[in-house]
Amino acid sequence: MEATTRQFTGNARQALKNDNLRAALDKLSHGFPYKRLEAAARLPEFEALRDQSRDIKAHVLENLDFYLQQFESKVIEQGGQVHWAKDAAEARDIILAICQEAGAETVTKSKSMIGEEIAINGHLEANGVRPVETDLGEYIIQLRKEPPSHLIAPAIHLSMDQVADTFKDKHREFAADRPLDQPRELLEEARTMLRREFLAADVGLTGANLLIAETGSIALVTNEGNADLTLTLPNTHIAIASIEKAVPTLEDATTILRVLARSATGQELSVYTTFVSGPKRPDDMDGPENFHVVLLDNGRTQMLGSEFHDMLRCIRCGACLNSCPVYGAIGGHAYGWVYSGPMGSVLMPGILGLEQTGDLPNASTLCGTCESVCPMRIPLPAMLRRWREQQHARRLTSTKSRMMLKLWAMLARRPGLYRAVMGLGVGFMRALAGGRGSLKSLPFAGGWTAVRDLPAPEGKTFTALWKERRK
Ligand code: SF4
């Protein structure tokens, strides 16, 4: 997928004009966050589990080489193979080579953000291998040739009518006048289409939510069971995961799984939680003959030990997206690449480089809600601020914003002058509002007033009130 992260501002403007998208995002922000709250309230130890999960991942990141090597040797012990990919191109080549060796024509895929990150679908297609997404949301967006717009709900930006139109356009073997206005009807049709693909597939490609070092297993969570069909039916299973997915033990994996689904959808646990350990054994009834794990770095080792180290604790639950007012207004596509919301705005500069993702660290009000819901307690606002500092230091921001910051810094160092200027500014804004309570436009605040009124200042300034109270 070609990144359009540099066009974030333009993308966001377009998204704000899309009424379908706004309606879909409204539903999202009134759904998952409340379910998360209810699930957390039902589990007295939820906050303690968040602490434990954070500590597990923090420990893994301090000892990542050890746990990855342990994971590798356990996979090999069980008859599987591990491949190391330093970047997306290497990962694509490894996967393609395995598919070619398996003589694959069709590859079924279960949802994987790493698959999106390395743009595996385009690479397979370009080399004569047909990838088929099997997660319902991913299947829909694959038909529409769109990227996912959410970590766990890739087609959240679409209405049911849009999905029905897509099915009518792409599934030509069904009667043109068939009813498709109920979720059940859409589901049945997708199921019919996908069942034949599951049976035809030569290779199954999945992600991995966790890599368990002590057993060499991967853990996978889905709500549709598609990952299980993807990895069980074909002769070859490839799992692709980024290196920070390692955890030491099965016990650690279950601790993290207990916060993952609750934070994501408010479920106690996803409908399917699957642990895969190596290829089929002689007395197994089914399973693949070949089991490969591709471990992707793609910039992660550079983040280790850096100011953005803690971002590697992310378990891709999506809670920060669901609660972010910016994501809630513009959706995922505006961010311009695979990831979105607060986690995307921190992670993507680390992977693509700050030059390519200039506006993203500013796509936040820094309200702190993302950090308060993150099961891994990742300090997202602090890291967004660090990216902003780097932007400023490397002169990647506009001349206007640097001048404004310089002016503000000059005033902030002179409290007397600061108060005098603020007093004048407040008076000016009140005069401009003329008793209406809000301003329709204001010099230097056009970005705000273009889409909403700015409330006029009321009462005394903060410093005046503070002075009064101290007396
Ligand atoms: S940053 Fe935290 S809340 Fe956001 S997806 Fe990652 S783990 Fe979930």
Side-chain angles (χ1 to χ4, degrees):
M1 171 187 171
E2 198 187 327
T4 62
T5 39
R6 285 172 72 107
Q7 288 109 57
F8 172 77
T9 315
N11 293 346
R13 281 208 184 95
Q14 288 304 318
L16 288 168
K17 291 182 197 153
N18 183 336
D19 291 339
N20 262 337
L21 177 65
R22 304 297 295 277
L25 292 171
D26 261 5
K27 272 193 216 145
L28 174 86
S29 57
H30 288 99
F32 288 153
Y34 292 97
K35 288 186 176 152
R36 175 195 168 275
L37 275 177
E38 286 165 10
R42 285 194 298 271
L43 187 71
E45 66 268 36
F46 184 70
E47 293 303 319
L49 283 171
R50 286 177 72 188
D51 289 340
Q52 285 172 28
S53 301
R54 174 202 54 203
D55 294 347
I56 290 167
K57 289 292 270 192
H59 168 77
V60 167
L61 294 177
E62 294 299 329
N63 302 280
L64 193 56
D65 50 348
F66 171 80
Y67 287 116
L68 287 173
Q69 283 173 31
Q70 188 185 12
F71 174 78
E72 179 184 36
S73 59
K74 286 287 169 186
V75 171
I76 294 169
E77 216 174 86
Q78 296 175 104
Q81 292 181 53
V82 175
H83 311 260
W84 300 81
K86 74 171 185 304
D87 56 23
E90 251 187 45
R92 286 193 295 262
D93 290 345
I94 292 166
I95 293 169
L96 179 64
I98 299 169
C99 291
Q100 286 172 335
E101 199 183 318
E105 290 176 9
T106 303
V107 172
T108 40
K109 283 184 71 213
S110 83
K111 190 168 85 58
S112 152
M113 294 311 288
I114 299 298
E116 297 289 340
E117 186 178 320
I118 65 167
I120 188 63
N121 283 7
H123 191 63
L124 291 177
E125 275 165 14
N127 288 280
V129 182
R130 193 169 64 92
V132 181
E133 297 288 351
T134 62
D135 169 271
L136 180 59
E138 284 282 338
Y139 175 69
I140 292 165
I141 60 170
Q142 187 184 26
L143 290 179
R144 295 171 62 91
K145 300 193 192 316
E146 288 174 356
S149 64
H150 190 284
L151 285 175
I152 59 164
I156 192 75
H157 56 287
L158 297 172
S159 67
M160 222 168 67
D161 288 345
Q162 287 173 299
V163 177
D165 289 345
T166 304
F167 280 11
K168 290 208 163 159
D169 182 35
K170 303 288 179 184
H171 298 162
R172 293 298 172 94
E173 61 263 60
F174 298 102
D177 60 350
R178 67 196 182 280
L180 274 183
D181 47 12
Q182 295 299 321
R184 185 93 227 157
E185 291 158 354
L186 294 167
L187 193 61
E188 290 295 347
E189 186 161 311
R191 186 174 279 160
T192 306
M193 297 301 293
L194 286 175
R195 196 137 282 182
R196 61 182 80 152
E197 303 289 6
F198 281 125
L199 294 171
D202 311 289
V203 171
L205 180 59
T206 69
N209 293 83
L210 297 164
L211 307 167
I212 302 153
E214 72 169 350
T215 58
S217 315
I218 64 163
L220 273 164
V221 298
T222 68
N223 277 327
E224 300 169 19
N226 59 306
D228 303 77
L229 292 172
T230 300
L231 67 92
T232 316
L233 295 176
N235 211 25
T236 299
H237 173 203
I238 308 171
I240 175 150
S242 48
I243 52 174
E244 78 277 14
K245 295 283 172 71
V247 292
T249 64
L250 273 172
E251 190 66 34
D252 294 327
T254 52
T255 301
I256 292 175
L257 291 173
R258 291 183 76 195
V259 293
L260 174 58
R262 286 181 171 92
S263 303
T265 54
Q267 291 166 283
E268 315 291 314
L269 208 57
S270 301
V271 178
Y272 297 87
T273 300
T274 305
F275 293 86
V276 182
S277 307
K280 181 180 176 214
R281 291 166 182 75
D283 49 354
D284 284 347
M285 287 179 68
D286 48 32
E289 300 284 341
N290 310 298
F291 175 63
H292 299 264
V293 184
V294 181
L295 295 176
L296 176 74
D297 182 338
N298 213 23
R300 269 82 174 172
T301 45
Q302 273 177 13
M303 290 173 77
L304 272 178
S306 78
E307 294 175 292
F308 306 99
H309 174 99
D310 292 340
M311 190 61 226
L312 298 173
R313 295 205 300 264
C314 177
I315 53 171
R316 311 286 189 266
C317 70
C320 59
L321 278 63
N322 302 340
S323 64
C324 174
V326 176
Y327 179 92
I330 58 174
H333 287 165
Y335 290 79
W337 199 50
V338 177
Y339 303 104
S340 56
M343 63 76 65
S345 295
V346 174
L347 186 62
M348 289 194 285
I351 297 176
L352 296 172
L354 199 52
E355 288 76 7
Q356 292 302 318
T357 50
D359 278 324
L360 293 186
N362 299 303
S364 168
T365 61
L366 300 183
C367 65
T369 318
C370 50
E371 183 174 353
S372 72
V373 297
C374 174
M376 309 308 284
R377 302 199 190 280
I378 298 174
L380 292 158
M383 285 192 282
L384 287 167
R385 278 198 299 273
R386 279 179 215 138
W387 280 128
R388 290 180 190 186
E389 281 162 21
Q390 288 202 15
Q391 281 184 323
H392 185 75
R394 288 157 61 181
R395 302 181 72 81
L396 295 171
T397 49
S398 68
T399 313
K400 185 173 145 196
S401 81
R402 282 201 305 281
M403 278 177 59
M404 295 298 281
L405 272 175
K406 250 189 199 158
L407 181 67
W408 185 85
M410 188 270 285
L411 290 172
R413 278 193 227 105
R414 295 167 179 82
L417 185 60
Y418 183 88
R419 279 195 291 276
V421 172
M422 285 300 137
L424 280 174
V426 165
F428 174 67
M429 285 169 75
R430 277 201 196 114
L432 213 60
R436 285 188 300 277
S438 64
L439 295 147
K440 297 230 173 285
S441 68
L442 185 72
F444 301 114
W448 177 287
T449 53
V451 286
R452 59 179 87 74
D453 291 352
L454 182 71
E458 286 177 17
K460 297 178 181 172
T461 62
F462 173 79
T463 39
L465 284 172
W466 182 250
K467 215 170 170 183
E468 270 179 29
R469 286 197 187 175
R470 292 194 76 183
K471 272 187 199 158

